[in-house]
Amino acid sequence: MHQNFTRAFTLILFLLLGSLQSYSYAQDPDLEESKNAIQGVMVTVQEKFNSLDNKGKFIVGSAVGFIGTRVLLGSAMTAIKTGAVAFITAEVLHHTGVLDVREAIDDIHDSDLVQKIKVNAGQMVGGFRTQVRRRLNPLNAQELFEKERMATLGAASGAVLACLL
């Protein structure tokens, strides 16, 4: 059973990564060949999905909803835990006098590395935001929900199940 979940997760991860058009594709023409290969695989997967009956689409939707939700919840919990540990550690170090937070922040804030990170992060977030807006356009989502009702119902039930377990 674990092997089936691993295979399903790998397929879903591949589909998600393949469906995202990275911001770097627009900037790097050398990746065009990889993009075409991924699109070829996506066409094959789309054909296989379209050939499924309603029960099959429901099951695929449930797997996608369950695994996607579990991955997102796990990532969110890890981020929250990491942030809490960093905050507590910084507070302890500050109150014991080991770390002067204000002085360290001033030194780090003015460095060239931080400025480069800000620019790169801004560009990546901007590209990601554009992709999300294009892909999650409410009109496109509504069309998808109406076209693939069983898969949507499966994804919703899988997500609910993942939240409950």
Side-chain angles (χ1 to χ4, degrees), residues 69-107:
T69 302
R70 293 297 289 204
V71 168
L72 289 175
L73 287 175
S75 299
M77 289 304 296
T78 301
I80 291 169
K81 289 176 184 178
T82 303
V85 167
F87 175 76
I88 291 168
T89 303
E91 286 297 312
V92 168
L93 291 174
H94 176 69
H95 285 294
T96 58
V98 174
L99 176 67
D100 185 8
V101 175
R102 289 187 184 125
E103 187 177 307
I105 289 174
D106 290 338
D107 291 343

PDB file of all heavy atoms in Angstrom, residues 69-107:
ATOM      1  N   THR A  69      -2.950  18.032  -0.151  1.00  0.00           N
ATOM      2  CA  THR A  69      -3.252  18.631   1.141  1.00  0.00           C
ATOM      3  C   THR A  69      -2.263  18.188   2.204  1.00  0.00           C
ATOM      4  O   THR A  69      -1.809  19.003   3.017  1.00  0.00           O
ATOM      5  CB  THR A  69      -4.692  18.287   1.564  1.00  0.00           C
ATOM      6  OG1 THR A  69      -5.582  18.761   0.554  1.00  0.00           O
ATOM      7  CG2 THR A  69      -5.052  18.915   2.898  1.00  0.00           C
ATOM      8  N   ARG A  70      -1.909  16.900   2.211  1.00  0.00           N
ATOM      9  CA  ARG A  70      -0.926  16.414   3.193  1.00  0.00           C
ATOM     10  C   ARG A  70       0.419  17.099   3.009  1.00  0.00           C
ATOM     11  O   ARG A  70       1.079  17.479   3.987  1.00  0.00           O
ATOM     12  CB  ARG A  70      -0.768  14.898   3.093  1.00  0.00           C
ATOM     13  CG  ARG A  70      -1.986  14.111   3.503  1.00  0.00           C
ATOM     14  CD  ARG A  70      -2.339  14.305   4.934  1.00  0.00           C
ATOM     15  NE  ARG A  70      -1.348  13.646   5.759  1.00  0.00           N
ATOM     16  CZ  ARG A  70      -1.555  13.224   6.978  1.00  0.00           C
ATOM     17  NH1 ARG A  70      -2.725  13.392   7.525  1.00  0.00           N
ATOM     18  NH2 ARG A  70      -0.615  12.649   7.654  1.00  0.00           N
ATOM     19  N   VAL A  71       0.842  17.268   1.765  1.00  0.00           N
ATOM     20  CA  VAL A  71       2.121  17.932   1.503  1.00  0.00           C
ATOM     21  C   VAL A  71       2.057  19.391   1.952  1.00  0.00           C
ATOM     22  O   VAL A  71       2.979  19.879   2.613  1.00  0.00           O
ATOM     23  CB  VAL A  71       2.493  17.827   0.004  1.00  0.00           C
ATOM     24  CG1 VAL A  71       3.653  18.742  -0.343  1.00  0.00           C
ATOM     25  CG2 VAL A  71       2.834  16.390  -0.354  1.00  0.00           C
ATOM     26  N   LEU A  72       0.972  20.087   1.623  1.00  0.00           N
ATOM     27  CA  LEU A  72       0.841  21.486   2.023  1.00  0.00           C
ATOM     28  C   LEU A  72       0.762  21.639   3.539  1.00  0.00           C
ATOM     29  O   LEU A  72       1.390  22.536   4.114  1.00  0.00           O
ATOM     30  CB  LEU A  72      -0.384  22.116   1.367  1.00  0.00           C
ATOM     31  CG  LEU A  72      -0.271  22.358  -0.133  1.00  0.00           C
ATOM     32  CD1 LEU A  72      -1.583  22.878  -0.692  1.00  0.00           C
ATOM     33  CD2 LEU A  72       0.849  23.331  -0.432  1.00  0.00           C
ATOM     34  N   LEU A  73      -0.003  20.780   4.197  1.00  0.00           N
ATOM     35  CA  LEU A  73      -0.096  20.852   5.654  1.00  0.00           C
ATOM     36  C   LEU A  73       1.245  20.554   6.305  1.00  0.00           C
ATOM     37  O   LEU A  73       1.637  21.220   7.272  1.00  0.00           O
ATOM     38  CB  LEU A  73      -1.158  19.881   6.176  1.00  0.00           C
ATOM     39  CG  LEU A  73      -2.612  20.265   5.924  1.00  0.00           C
ATOM     40  CD1 LEU A  73      -3.532  19.156   6.398  1.00  0.00           C
ATOM     41  CD2 LEU A  73      -2.952  21.567   6.600  1.00  0.00           C
ATOM     42  N   GLY A  74       1.963  19.554   5.788  1.00  0.00           N
ATOM     43  CA  GLY A  74       3.283  19.232   6.328  1.00  0.00           C
ATOM     44  C   GLY A  74       4.256  20.378   6.150  1.00  0.00           C
ATOM     45  O   GLY A  74       5.010  20.729   7.074  1.00  0.00           O
ATOM     46  N   SER A  75       4.237  21.002   4.986  1.00  0.00           N
ATOM     47  CA  SER A  75       5.127  22.136   4.729  1.00  0.00           C
ATOM     48  C   SER A  75       4.774  23.320   5.616  1.00  0.00           C
ATOM     49  O   SER A  75       5.667  23.992   6.149  1.00  0.00           O
ATOM     50  CB  SER A  75       5.043  22.554   3.263  1.00  0.00           C
ATOM     51  OG  SER A  75       5.441  21.510   2.429  1.00  0.00           O
ATOM     52  N   ALA A  76       3.489  23.586   5.774  1.00  0.00           N
ATOM     53  CA  ALA A  76       3.062  24.699   6.618  1.00  0.00           C
ATOM     54  C   ALA A  76       3.461  24.466   8.069  1.00  0.00           C
ATOM     55  O   ALA A  76       3.952  25.385   8.745  1.00  0.00           O
ATOM     56  CB  ALA A  76       1.552  24.890   6.507  1.00  0.00           C
ATOM     57  N   MET A  77       3.267  23.255   8.552  1.00  0.00           N
ATOM     58  CA  MET A  77       3.649  22.966   9.938  1.00  0.00           C
ATOM     59  C   MET A  77       5.160  23.072  10.137  1.00  0.00           C
ATOM     60  O   MET A  77       5.627  23.581  11.157  1.00  0.00           O
ATOM     61  CB  MET A  77       3.157  21.576  10.347  1.00  0.00           C
ATOM     62  CG  MET A  77       1.665  21.495  10.514  1.00  0.00           C
ATOM     63  SD  MET A  77       0.997  22.710  11.691  1.00  0.00           S
ATOM     64  CE  MET A  77       1.762  22.181  13.201  1.00  0.00           C
ATOM     65  N   THR A  78       5.935  22.615   9.169  1.00  0.00           N
ATOM     66  CA  THR A  78       7.387  22.737   9.265  1.00  0.00           C
ATOM     67  C   THR A  78       7.806  24.201   9.291  1.00  0.00           C
ATOM     68  O   THR A  78       8.679  24.586  10.071  1.00  0.00           O
ATOM     69  CB  THR A  78       8.064  22.007   8.083  1.00  0.00           C
ATOM     70  OG1 THR A  78       7.683  20.626   8.122  1.00  0.00           O
ATOM     71  CG2 THR A  78       9.562  22.124   8.140  1.00  0.00           C
ATOM     72  N   ALA A  79       7.191  25.025   8.444  1.00  0.00           N
ATOM     73  CA  ALA A  79       7.513  26.452   8.416  1.00  0.00           C
ATOM     74  C   ALA A  79       7.151  27.119   9.746  1.00  0.00           C
ATOM     75  O   ALA A  79       7.924  27.935  10.277  1.00  0.00           O
ATOM     76  CB  ALA A  79       6.788  27.130   7.260  1.00  0.00           C
ATOM     77  N   ILE A  80       6.007  26.774  10.301  1.00  0.00           N
ATOM     78  CA  ILE A  80       5.591  27.351  11.582  1.00  0.00           C
ATOM     79  C   ILE A  80       6.541  26.924  12.697  1.00  0.00           C
ATOM     80  O   ILE A  80       6.962  27.746  13.514  1.00  0.00           O
ATOM     81  CB  ILE A  80       4.133  26.950  11.904  1.00  0.00           C
ATOM     82  CG1 ILE A  80       3.178  27.656  10.938  1.00  0.00           C
ATOM     83  CG2 ILE A  80       3.773  27.263  13.349  1.00  0.00           C
ATOM     84  CD1 ILE A  80       1.759  27.145  10.979  1.00  0.00           C
ATOM     85  N   LYS A  81       6.898  25.657  12.736  1.00  0.00           N
ATOM     86  CA  LYS A  81       7.814  25.166  13.761  1.00  0.00           C
ATOM     87  C   LYS A  81       9.181  25.823  13.630  1.00  0.00           C
ATOM     88  O   LYS A  81       9.786  26.215  14.631  1.00  0.00           O
ATOM     89  CB  LYS A  81       7.951  23.643  13.672  1.00  0.00           C
ATOM     90  CG  LYS A  81       6.721  22.897  14.125  1.00  0.00           C
ATOM     91  CD  LYS A  81       6.898  21.394  13.918  1.00  0.00           C
ATOM     92  CE  LYS A  81       5.652  20.627  14.263  1.00  0.00           C
ATOM     93  NZ  LYS A  81       5.804  19.172  14.020  1.00  0.00           N
ATOM     94  N   THR A  82       9.684  25.941  12.410  1.00  0.00           N
ATOM     95  CA  THR A  82      10.990  26.565  12.192  1.00  0.00           C
ATOM     96  C   THR A  82      10.965  28.024  12.617  1.00  0.00           C
ATOM     97  O   THR A  82      11.903  28.507  13.264  1.00  0.00           O
ATOM     98  CB  THR A  82      11.391  26.448  10.702  1.00  0.00           C
ATOM     99  OG1 THR A  82      11.386  25.072  10.331  1.00  0.00           O
ATOM    100  CG2 THR A  82      12.751  27.046  10.446  1.00  0.00           C
ATOM    101  N   GLY A  83       9.918  28.740  12.254  1.00  0.00           N
ATOM    102  CA  GLY A  83       9.787  30.130  12.669  1.00  0.00           C
ATOM    103  C   GLY A  83       9.713  30.280  14.179  1.00  0.00           C
ATOM    104  O   GLY A  83      10.334  31.178  14.754  1.00  0.00           O
ATOM    105  N   ALA A  84       8.974  29.394  14.832  1.00  0.00           N
ATOM    106  CA  ALA A  84       8.859  29.447  16.293  1.00  0.00           C
ATOM    107  C   ALA A  84      10.201  29.181  16.962  1.00  0.00           C
ATOM    108  O   ALA A  84      10.590  29.881  17.907  1.00  0.00           O
ATOM    109  CB  ALA A  84       7.819  28.449  16.774  1.00  0.00           C
ATOM    110  N   VAL A  85      10.933  28.183  16.471  1.00  0.00           N
ATOM    111  CA  VAL A  85      12.249  27.872  17.045  1.00  0.00           C
ATOM    112  C   VAL A  85      13.209  29.032  16.842  1.00  0.00           C
ATOM    113  O   VAL A  85      13.953  29.411  17.746  1.00  0.00           O
ATOM    114  CB  VAL A  85      12.808  26.563  16.432  1.00  0.00           C
ATOM    115  CG1 VAL A  85      14.279  26.380  16.766  1.00  0.00           C
ATOM    116  CG2 VAL A  85      12.005  25.369  16.919  1.00  0.00           C
ATOM    117  N   ALA A  86      13.201  29.642  15.650  1.00  0.00           N
ATOM    118  CA  ALA A  86      14.084  30.782  15.378  1.00  0.00           C
ATOM    119  C   ALA A  86      13.744  31.960  16.286  1.00  0.00           C
ATOM    120  O   ALA A  86      14.642  32.611  16.835  1.00  0.00           O
ATOM    121  CB  ALA A  86      13.980  31.187  13.918  1.00  0.00           C
ATOM    122  N   PHE A  87      12.456  32.220  16.460  1.00  0.00           N
ATOM    123  CA  PHE A  87      12.038  33.327  17.317  1.00  0.00           C
ATOM    124  C   PHE A  87      12.449  33.097  18.771  1.00  0.00           C
ATOM    125  O   PHE A  87      13.007  33.977  19.419  1.00  0.00           O
ATOM    126  CB  PHE A  87      10.525  33.527  17.218  1.00  0.00           C
ATOM    127  CG  PHE A  87      10.002  34.573  18.152  1.00  0.00           C
ATOM    128  CD1 PHE A  87      10.184  35.911  17.866  1.00  0.00           C
ATOM    129  CD2 PHE A  87       9.333  34.218  19.318  1.00  0.00           C
ATOM    130  CE1 PHE A  87       9.712  36.889  18.726  1.00  0.00           C
ATOM    131  CE2 PHE A  87       8.862  35.178  20.185  1.00  0.00           C
ATOM    132  CZ  PHE A  87       9.045  36.522  19.889  1.00  0.00           C
ATOM    133  N   ILE A  88      12.180  31.903  19.270  1.00  0.00           N
ATOM    134  CA  ILE A  88      12.515  31.591  20.665  1.00  0.00           C
ATOM    135  C   ILE A  88      14.028  31.659  20.881  1.00  0.00           C
ATOM    136  O   ILE A  88      14.511  32.217  21.869  1.00  0.00           O
ATOM    137  CB  ILE A  88      11.946  30.215  21.061  1.00  0.00           C
ATOM    138  CG1 ILE A  88      10.420  30.286  21.112  1.00  0.00           C
ATOM    139  CG2 ILE A  88      12.514  29.739  22.393  1.00  0.00           C
ATOM    140  CD1 ILE A  88       9.737  28.939  21.218  1.00  0.00           C
ATOM    141  N   THR A  89      14.792  31.103  19.936  1.00  0.00           N
ATOM    142  CA  THR A  89      16.250  31.132  20.047  1.00  0.00           C
ATOM    143  C   THR A  89      16.759  32.568  20.035  1.00  0.00           C
ATOM    144  O   THR A  89      17.628  32.931  20.846  1.00  0.00           O
ATOM    145  CB  THR A  89      16.890  30.332  18.897  1.00  0.00           C
ATOM    146  OG1 THR A  89      16.379  29.000  18.919  1.00  0.00           O
ATOM    147  CG2 THR A  89      18.392  30.312  19.005  1.00  0.00           C
ATOM    148  N   ALA A  90      16.246  33.409  19.131  1.00  0.00           N
ATOM    149  CA  ALA A  90      16.670  34.804  19.071  1.00  0.00           C
ATOM    150  C   ALA A  90      16.332  35.544  20.362  1.00  0.00           C
ATOM    151  O   ALA A  90      17.139  36.340  20.860  1.00  0.00           O
ATOM    152  CB  ALA A  90      16.034  35.494  17.871  1.00  0.00           C
ATOM    153  N   GLU A  91      15.150  35.277  20.914  1.00  0.00           N
ATOM    154  CA  GLU A  91      14.761  35.936  22.169  1.00  0.00           C
ATOM    155  C   GLU A  91      15.665  35.508  23.326  1.00  0.00           C
ATOM    156  O   GLU A  91      16.089  36.339  24.131  1.00  0.00           O
ATOM    157  CB  GLU A  91      13.299  35.640  22.489  1.00  0.00           C
ATOM    158  CG  GLU A  91      12.321  36.401  21.627  1.00  0.00           C
ATOM    159  CD  GLU A  91      12.418  37.902  21.813  1.00  0.00           C
ATOM    160  OE1 GLU A  91      12.434  38.378  22.968  1.00  0.00           O
ATOM    161  OE2 GLU A  91      12.483  38.612  20.792  1.00  0.00           O
ATOM    162  N   VAL A  92      15.948  34.222  23.421  1.00  0.00           N
ATOM    163  CA  VAL A  92      16.819  33.736  24.497  1.00  0.00           C
ATOM    164  C   VAL A  92      18.214  34.336  24.361  1.00  0.00           C
ATOM    165  O   VAL A  92      18.800  34.810  25.344  1.00  0.00           O
ATOM    166  CB  VAL A  92      16.872  32.187  24.489  1.00  0.00           C
ATOM    167  CG1 VAL A  92      17.980  31.675  25.382  1.00  0.00           C
ATOM    168  CG2 VAL A  92      15.529  31.614  24.906  1.00  0.00           C
ATOM    169  N   LEU A  93      18.748  34.329  23.135  1.00  0.00           N
ATOM    170  CA  LEU A  93      20.074  34.893  22.916  1.00  0.00           C
ATOM    171  C   LEU A  93      20.104  36.394  23.198  1.00  0.00           C
ATOM    172  O   LEU A  93      21.079  36.927  23.730  1.00  0.00           O
ATOM    173  CB  LEU A  93      20.549  34.614  21.489  1.00  0.00           C
ATOM    174  CG  LEU A  93      20.861  33.158  21.165  1.00  0.00           C
ATOM    175  CD1 LEU A  93      21.188  33.003  19.689  1.00  0.00           C
ATOM    176  CD2 LEU A  93      22.000  32.646  22.031  1.00  0.00           C
ATOM    177  N   HIS A  94      19.042  37.090  22.869  1.00  0.00           N
ATOM    178  CA  HIS A  94      18.977  38.525  23.130  1.00  0.00           C
ATOM    179  C   HIS A  94      18.903  38.822  24.634  1.00  0.00           C
ATOM    180  O   HIS A  94      19.604  39.691  25.137  1.00  0.00           O
ATOM    181  CB  HIS A  94      17.771  39.131  22.413  1.00  0.00           C
ATOM    182  CG  HIS A  94      17.573  40.583  22.695  1.00  0.00           C
ATOM    183  ND1 HIS A  94      18.438  41.553  22.236  1.00  0.00           N
ATOM    184  CD2 HIS A  94      16.611  41.234  23.398  1.00  0.00           C
ATOM    185  CE1 HIS A  94      18.022  42.731  22.640  1.00  0.00           C
ATOM    186  NE2 HIS A  94      16.906  42.564  23.343  1.00  0.00           N
ATOM    187  N   HIS A  95      18.047  38.098  25.347  1.00  0.00           N
ATOM    188  CA  HIS A  95      17.870  38.359  26.771  1.00  0.00           C
ATOM    189  C   HIS A  95      19.066  37.916  27.600  1.00  0.00           C
ATOM    190  O   HIS A  95      19.282  38.447  28.699  1.00  0.00           O
ATOM    191  CB  HIS A  95      16.581  37.711  27.288  1.00  0.00           C
ATOM    192  CG  HIS A  95      15.354  38.452  26.864  1.00  0.00           C
ATOM    193  ND1 HIS A  95      15.050  39.717  27.297  1.00  0.00           N
ATOM    194  CD2 HIS A  95      14.361  38.113  26.007  1.00  0.00           C
ATOM    195  CE1 HIS A  95      13.928  40.121  26.751  1.00  0.00           C
ATOM    196  NE2 HIS A  95      13.487  39.158  25.953  1.00  0.00           N
ATOM    197  N   THR A  96      19.838  36.969  27.124  1.00  0.00           N
ATOM    198  CA  THR A  96      21.045  36.557  27.848  1.00  0.00           C
ATOM    199  C   THR A  96      22.236  37.441  27.506  1.00  0.00           C
ATOM    200  O   THR A  96      23.280  37.316  28.133  1.00  0.00           O
ATOM    201  CB  THR A  96      21.404  35.097  27.527  1.00  0.00           C
ATOM    202  OG1 THR A  96      21.593  34.943  26.120  1.00  0.00           O
ATOM    203  CG2 THR A  96      20.330  34.156  28.030  1.00  0.00           C
ATOM    204  N   GLY A  97      22.086  38.313  26.504  1.00  0.00           N
ATOM    205  CA  GLY A  97      23.159  39.228  26.140  1.00  0.00           C
ATOM    206  C   GLY A  97      24.138  38.662  25.125  1.00  0.00           C
ATOM    207  O   GLY A  97      25.132  39.305  24.796  1.00  0.00           O
ATOM    208  N   VAL A  98      23.910  37.483  24.652  1.00  0.00           N
ATOM    209  CA  VAL A  98      24.815  36.863  23.679  1.00  0.00           C
ATOM    210  C   VAL A  98      24.679  37.530  22.312  1.00  0.00           C
ATOM    211  O   VAL A  98      25.657  37.692  21.587  1.00  0.00           O
ATOM    212  CB  VAL A  98      24.529  35.348  23.568  1.00  0.00           C
ATOM    213  CG1 VAL A  98      25.343  34.711  22.463  1.00  0.00           C
ATOM    214  CG2 VAL A  98      24.783  34.667  24.897  1.00  0.00           C
ATOM    215  N   LEU A  99      23.469  37.944  21.954  1.00  0.00           N
ATOM    216  CA  LEU A  99      23.208  38.499  20.635  1.00  0.00           C
ATOM    217  C   LEU A  99      22.537  39.852  20.776  1.00  0.00           C
ATOM    218  O   LEU A  99      21.521  39.977  21.454  1.00  0.00           O
ATOM    219  CB  LEU A  99      22.285  37.555  19.854  1.00  0.00           C
ATOM    220  CG  LEU A  99      21.834  38.010  18.480  1.00  0.00           C
ATOM    221  CD1 LEU A  99      23.013  38.068  17.519  1.00  0.00           C
ATOM    222  CD2 LEU A  99      20.777  37.063  17.937  1.00  0.00           C
ATOM    223  N   ASP A 100      23.143  40.869  20.143  1.00  0.00           N
ATOM    224  CA  ASP A 100      22.504  42.182  20.088  1.00  0.00           C
ATOM    225  C   ASP A 100      21.744  42.254  18.772  1.00  0.00           C
ATOM    226  O   ASP A 100      22.332  42.471  17.712  1.00  0.00           O
ATOM    227  CB  ASP A 100      23.544  43.296  20.179  1.00  0.00           C
ATOM    228  CG  ASP A 100      22.905  44.673  20.237  1.00  0.00           C
ATOM    229  OD1 ASP A 100      21.664  44.750  20.361  1.00  0.00           O
ATOM    230  OD2 ASP A 100      23.649  45.666  20.156  1.00  0.00           O
ATOM    231  N   VAL A 101      20.449  42.057  18.843  1.00  0.00           N
ATOM    232  CA  VAL A 101      19.625  41.925  17.648  1.00  0.00           C
ATOM    233  C   VAL A 101      19.635  43.196  16.809  1.00  0.00           C
ATOM    234  O   VAL A 101      19.765  43.140  15.591  1.00  0.00           O
ATOM    235  CB  VAL A 101      18.181  41.532  18.029  1.00  0.00           C
ATOM    236  CG1 VAL A 101      17.280  41.501  16.815  1.00  0.00           C
ATOM    237  CG2 VAL A 101      18.167  40.204  18.745  1.00  0.00           C
ATOM    238  N   ARG A 102      19.536  44.351  17.443  1.00  0.00           N
ATOM    239  CA  ARG A 102      19.471  45.607  16.679  1.00  0.00           C
ATOM    240  C   ARG A 102      20.750  45.839  15.881  1.00  0.00           C
ATOM    241  O   ARG A 102      20.703  46.245  14.722  1.00  0.00           O
ATOM    242  CB  ARG A 102      19.216  46.772  17.630  1.00  0.00           C
ATOM    243  CG  ARG A 102      17.817  46.747  18.190  1.00  0.00           C
ATOM    244  CD  ARG A 102      17.515  47.987  18.991  1.00  0.00           C
ATOM    245  NE  ARG A 102      16.203  47.844  19.568  1.00  0.00           N
ATOM    246  CZ  ARG A 102      15.941  47.957  20.857  1.00  0.00           C
ATOM    247  NH1 ARG A 102      16.895  48.253  21.705  1.00  0.00           N
ATOM    248  NH2 ARG A 102      14.715  47.801  21.305  1.00  0.00           N
ATOM    249  N   GLU A 103      21.878  45.586  16.481  1.00  0.00           N
ATOM    250  CA  GLU A 103      23.152  45.778  15.787  1.00  0.00           C
ATOM    251  C   GLU A 103      23.302  44.772  14.635  1.00  0.00           C
ATOM    252  O   GLU A 103      23.737  45.115  13.543  1.00  0.00           O
ATOM    253  CB  GLU A 103      24.308  45.618  16.774  1.00  0.00           C
ATOM    254  CG  GLU A 103      25.664  45.952  16.198  1.00  0.00           C
ATOM    255  CD  GLU A 103      26.746  45.841  17.253  1.00  0.00           C
ATOM    256  OE1 GLU A 103      26.609  46.463  18.313  1.00  0.00           O
ATOM    257  OE2 GLU A 103      27.718  45.118  17.001  1.00  0.00           O
ATOM    258  N   ALA A 104      22.920  43.537  14.885  1.00  0.00           N
ATOM    259  CA  ALA A 104      23.017  42.510  13.844  1.00  0.00           C
ATOM    260  C   ALA A 104      22.093  42.819  12.678  1.00  0.00           C
ATOM    261  O   ALA A 104      22.475  42.655  11.512  1.00  0.00           O
ATOM    262  CB  ALA A 104      22.683  41.146  14.433  1.00  0.00           C
ATOM    263  N   ILE A 105      20.886  43.300  12.949  1.00  0.00           N
ATOM    264  CA  ILE A 105      19.943  43.636  11.889  1.00  0.00           C
ATOM    265  C   ILE A 105      20.466  44.782  11.044  1.00  0.00           C
ATOM    266  O   ILE A 105      20.378  44.754   9.810  1.00  0.00           O
ATOM    267  CB  ILE A 105      18.554  43.966  12.480  1.00  0.00           C
ATOM    268  CG1 ILE A 105      17.904  42.690  13.013  1.00  0.00           C
ATOM    269  CG2 ILE A 105      17.653  44.637  11.456  1.00  0.00           C
ATOM    270  CD1 ILE A 105      16.603  42.911  13.729  1.00  0.00           C
ATOM    271  N   ASP A 106      21.040  45.808  11.692  1.00  0.00           N
ATOM    272  CA  ASP A 106      21.586  46.934  10.939  1.00  0.00           C
ATOM    273  C   ASP A 106      22.724  46.495  10.026  1.00  0.00           C
ATOM    274  O   ASP A 106      22.820  46.938   8.880  1.00  0.00           O
ATOM    275  CB  ASP A 106      22.068  48.035  11.886  1.00  0.00           C
ATOM    276  CG  ASP A 106      20.912  48.738  12.589  1.00  0.00           C
ATOM    277  OD1 ASP A 106      19.775  48.675  12.065  1.00  0.00           O
ATOM    278  OD2 ASP A 106      21.156  49.350  13.646  1.00  0.00           O
ATOM    279  N   ASP A 107      23.601  45.606  10.514  1.00  0.00           N
ATOM    280  CA  ASP A 107      24.717  45.117   9.703  1.00  0.00           C
ATOM    281  C   ASP A 107      24.233  44.294   8.517  1.00  0.00           C
ATOM    282  O   ASP A 107      24.721  44.441   7.394  1.00  0.00           O
ATOM    283  CB  ASP A 107      25.673  44.269  10.551  1.00  0.00           C
ATOM    284  CG  ASP A 107      26.430  45.102  11.571  1.00  0.00           C
ATOM    285  OD1 ASP A 107      26.469  46.340  11.414  1.00  0.00           O
ATOM    286  OD2 ASP A 107      26.974  44.511  12.524  1.00  0.00           O
TER     287      ASP A 107
END
